[in-house]
Amino acid sequence: MKHTDISLILGSPESYFDKDVTVCGWIRTFRDGKNMAFMALNDGTSLQHLQIVVDKNSCSADLSALSTGASVAVKGVAVKSFNANQAVEVNASQVTLLGACPQDYPIQKTKTSLDFLRTLPHLRVRTNTFNAVFRIRSKLSAAIHEFFQQRGFLYVHTPIITGSDCEGAGEIFQVTTVGFDPSVKTQQEYDAKDFFGQRAGLTVSGQLEGEVMATAFGKIYTFGPTFRAENSNTTRHAAEFWQIEPEVAFAELPDIMEIATDFIKHIIASVLDGCGEELAFLEKFYEQGLREKLRNVVDNDFAVVDYAQAVEILKNSGQSFQYPVDWGKDLQTEHERYLTDVVYKRPVFVVNYPKDIKSFYMKQNVDGRTVAATDLLVPGVGEIIGCSEREADYDKLLKAITDRHMKLDDYKNYLDLRRYGSVPHSGFGLGLERILMYVTGMGNIRDTIAFPRAKNELR
Ligand code: 4AD
Ligand code: MG
């Protein structure tokens, strides 16, 4: 159908004045008067609606089926609007109903709680809130590629089906073609019968393959779906999320932290530049001061605190936390939130975690107790990045694998990277939905991904 995107008309109204246009879209609101009817039309290309004016004396449209949610094609003339809130409107000469929308259409002005909308994943995306969120998601994704491409990183695709558990947290979704079979008596028998002749699962991280690529291409990044069978039902965990994982050869922890900082600033600056309208909308309805918060991230340094020091700060805070704070224990959300929301009030890198609470691949520090790893925490959300220098020493890595009783066979190739021209290298993983929560002010990760997958949730 030949038609003009509403975003183009709203983007440069003057160039459309007094011209014939055809626009298509869904009716957001419809007001029917005696001589005139008005509709706010949205085609999804913009957060803003286009006002359509129907003069019943000159436009012989059948208006009876027009209602909120109906889809129409409108032919008319774009004119300067008398309404101060909009620059342009369209005087319709022809309105064609494409699809009627009965009164039981659940997306109505009065029922817009996010909890309610989550029950309607197929329709909630037609609301202003999700228009803004997904437009920002798209912009953020483009900015992520832009950042790495401008700096000569190779975009690589790591497998979705894998045979190893990168994070060792036992959160792998199994991939199998073998159904219930009472004749199978052991796990080995079962695995041998399976498609790959061994156990397979959905990737929890592209890092291990990313390291392979980085030790050939120097600087790489992945950007793809990641799966975790998180058994917890929180507002920050999804079973399927998108992760960005750069991996850089000849880089130590401070180098990768510098890249992570520049990266976060770059993608946030892009959203500030390109999604002003969307941010203004979210600021009005979801998070006061959102744009100032983001501007501050772009303009200021991130804080850095040693894990041991963070533990002391928490211990001396006078707060009564639900979970105990002690050197050697992982930081819980409440602890992270105290550090970001109360102490630092800006993004903070917590560095040098105890090795026992972190993954096997992290570079062991000379103290023998900690690893060269850092999490980037942000106010309101907590951890958005997990980052580390990788253990490049064959013997130390081998020991970390065997100490954790991991299956050596699964990590043979990974260990080989430390036998054949091993180099210091580092990388990190950013959860796209986590940073989207931060950028949009959405308090629940389910509202940053179109079709959220979580425990007992598969709509
Ligand atoms: O800290 P994580 O587990 O680190 C890794 O996977 C490393 N292999 C990354 C690397 O160094 N290449 O996860 C990285 C990030 C987290 O900081 C968080 O933002 C996000 O992935 N993440 C999740 N996001 C949504 N739902 C979940 N269940 C998530 N688990 C991790
Ligand atoms: Mg982590």
Side-chain angles (χ1 to χ4, degrees):
M1 292 167 82
K2 275 256 182 283
H3 69 285
T4 304
D5 286 348
I6 287 176
S7 60
L8 293 177
I9 299 174
L10 295 178
S12 70
E14 302 81 19
S15 55
Y16 288 91
F17 285 161
D18 305 319
K19 297 217 170 96
D20 287 329
V21 292
T22 299
V23 289
C24 299
W26 293 268
I27 298 174
R28 286 298 183 86
T29 53
F30 183 65
R31 277 187 297 130
D32 197 7
K34 192 155 160 272
N35 297 313
M36 309 285 269
F38 301 90
M39 56 180 134
L41 199 65
N42 190 295
D43 67 356
T45 62
S46 157
L47 184 60
Q48 302 299 324
H49 314 322
L50 179 66
Q51 163 102 319
I52 309 290
V53 182
V54 184
D55 181 342
K56 292 183 177 179
N57 302 315
S58 58
C59 177
S60 58
D62 176 8
L63 304 182
S64 62
L66 301 189
S67 62
T68 297
S71 50
V72 291
V74 175
K75 247 172 112 169
V77 180
V79 296
K80 193 169 163 40
S81 177
F82 290 111
N83 185 333
N85 293 325
Q86 60 205 22
V88 58
E89 58 193 32
V90 168
N91 287 335
S93 55
Q94 194 183 318
V95 179
T96 310
L97 179 71
L98 300 175
C101 188
Q103 293 305 313
D104 65 1
Y105 182 52
I107 305 291
Q108 302 289 343
K109 268 221 148 96
T110 49
K111 279 177 141 185
T112 52
S113 88
L114 292 174
D115 288 340
F116 170 72
L117 291 174
R118 233 170 272 138
T119 67
L120 302 163
H122 59 308
L123 297 174
R124 69 172 182 167
V125 282
R126 297 187 194 179
T127 61
N128 293 338
T129 296
F130 290 98
N131 185 311
V133 169
F134 289 110
R135 204 172 294 290
I136 292 174
R137 186 176 169 117
S138 171
K139 180 74 195 170
L140 206 54
S141 303
I144 287 164
H145 283 294
E146 187 183 81
F147 176 87
F148 290 118
Q149 294 287 332
Q150 281 173 355
R151 285 160 184 78
F153 283 65
L154 193 80
Y155 177 36
V156 305
H157 302 98
T158 49
I160 287 174
I161 301 177
T162 63
S164 57
D165 181 354
C166 172
E167 291 307 310
E171 288 169 344
I172 294 199
F173 283 102
Q174 200 178 336
V175 173
T176 178
T177 52
V178 177
F180 176 70
D181 181 349
S183 76
V184 176
K185 294 289 178 261
T186 65
Q187 182 72 49
Q188 277 99 325
E189 242 182 278
Y190 179 89
D191 292 344
K193 271 185 79 164
D194 214 338
F195 189 88
F196 296 102
Q198 67 170 82
R199 212 151 209 227
L202 296 178
T203 183
V204 297
S205 163
Q207 180 192 323
L208 302 188
E209 295 87 358
E211 285 185 51
V212 169
M213 300 305 272
T215 49
F217 294 96
K219 303 191 283 188
I220 65 95
Y221 71 105
T222 72
F223 186 172
T226 307
F227 308 87
R228 295 201 187 170
E230 299 264 8
N231 215 350
S232 53
N233 191 357
T234 79
T235 53
R236 330 182 296 148
H237 289 93
E240 180 177 314
F241 61 98
W242 283 64
Q243 199 179 178
I244 298 94
E245 295 184 277
E247 191 70 35
V248 187
F250 320 111
E252 295 169 328
L253 189 67
D255 303 311
I256 195 73
M257 285 168 65
E258 196 179 313
I259 294 172
T261 305
D262 291 348
F263 170 61
I264 295 295
K265 289 186 178 203
H266 175 92
I267 62 179
I268 288 184
S270 292
V271 172
L272 276 166
D273 270 1
C275 299
E277 238 169 42
E278 289 78 7
L279 290 173
F281 173 86
L282 294 167
E283 183 169 297
K284 186 167 167 200
F285 292 101
Y286 295 99
E287 185 177 327
Q288 260 186 18
L290 179 64
R291 282 173 296 181
E292 200 193 330
K293 174 186 88 174
L294 298 176
R295 180 52 60 198
N296 280 332
V297 171
V298 175
D299 292 342
N300 293 294
D301 292 339
F302 295 0
V304 180
V305 62
D306 205 82
Y307 165 87
Q309 196 188 338
V311 166
E312 286 311 306
I313 292 172
L314 292 165
K315 276 182 157 174
N316 298 329
S317 66
Q319 293 283 309
S320 59
F321 294 113
Q322 193 190 340
Y323 294 91
V325 191
D326 238 328
W327 198 97
K329 289 201 162 65
D330 208 357
L331 298 182
Q332 302 295 323
T333 304
E334 56 176 349
H335 309 135
E336 295 179 347
R337 294 288 297 271
Y338 183 83
L339 291 173
T340 51
D341 299 13
V342 182
V343 182
Y344 293 101
K345 299 188 172 69
R346 61 190 160 127
V348 53
F349 283 108
V350 180
V351 294
N352 299 324
Y353 282 86
K355 69 175 198 288
D356 291 342
I357 56 169
K358 287 292 186 188
S359 301
F360 74 97
Y361 52 72
M362 295 175 175
K363 184 182 166 67
Q364 297 158 37
N365 287 330
V366 285
D367 63 11
R369 307 202 303 159
T370 60
V371 281
T374 179
D375 282 356
L376 179 65
L377 316 178
V378 298
V381 180
E383 177 192 339
I384 61 166
I385 279 181
C387 173
S388 64
E389 182 171 343
R390 320 308 191 187
E391 184 52 77
D393 180 89
Y394 182 89
D395 294 323
K396 285 186 184 165
L397 183 62
L398 179 66
K399 184 163 183 318
I401 291 174
T402 47
D403 279 354
R404 286 172 169 77
H405 309 294
M406 296 161 66
K407 257 175 61 198
L408 208 51
D409 239 19
D410 293 349
Y411 302 92
K412 214 182 141 296
N413 290 353
Y414 188 68
L415 276 161
D416 264 357
L417 300 184
R418 279 75 181 165
R419 293 179 61 215
Y420 304 127
S422 189
V423 292
H425 62 289
S426 304
F428 67 81
L430 169 74
L432 179 66
E433 290 76 13
R434 291 273 178 92
I435 187 150
L436 256 172
M437 290 175 73
Y438 184 66
V439 170
T440 60
M442 291 288 108
N444 192 320
I445 198 164
R446 292 163 183 76
D447 299 327
T448 62
I449 186 160
F451 304 97
R453 272 84 178 92
K455 180 87 177 154
N456 293 325
E457 214 177 311
L458 187 70
R459 281 178 210 271

